[in-house]
Amino acid sequence: KFTTNTIRHENWKYRQASIRAFALLLLGLSPERSQFLVNSSLLDLAALLNDPNMYVQLSALKSLSLITEEVPEVVLKHDKCL
């Protein structure tokens, strides 16, 4: 709930905290359980690469990197990524 409420917050610190919380959540889940979560948030994370704040961009980039390492099949099968 925290991540969905703060991912678009006007304060960049909330957006960055949301991305970091999402990444930590992914680390705690098995790849099978994280697939739905990743699939539903992949485009939001990709959009944050264009955030006006550099720290939010870097956090989004690190999270996307983590996703491609942990569950690459979700990225490869995502209909909007190809």
Side-chain angles (χ1 to χ4, degrees):
K1 206 101 167 122
F2 171 76
T3 56
T4 57
N5 291 336
T6 57
I7 196 81
R8 293 185 181 93
H9 198 277
E10 64 184 42
N11 186 328
W12 71 266
K13 292 178 183 179
Y14 284 86
R15 293 191 306 273
Q16 183 186 33
S18 179
I19 296 167
R20 287 182 172 189
F22 177 79
L24 286 173
L25 179 66
L26 285 180
L27 288 174
L29 296 175
S30 68
E32 296 80 27
R33 295 190 67 200
S34 63
Q35 286 185 6
F36 174 76
L37 185 62
V38 169
N39 196 33
S40 64
S41 60
L42 198 57
L43 294 178
D44 288 331
L45 281 172
L48 287 169
L49 293 173
N50 292 320
D51 192 90
N53 185 277
M54 176 185 67
Y55 296 110
V56 174
Q57 292 174 5
L58 289 173
S59 292
L61 183 60
K62 288 178 184 178
S63 292
L64 289 169
S65 175
L66 175 69
I67 289 169
T68 58
E69 289 176 17
E70 298 295 322
V71 282
E73 61 275 2
V74 174
V75 177
L76 294 173
K77 292 180 182 177
H78 199 281
D79 60 338
K80 302 288 184 195
C81 289
L82 298 175

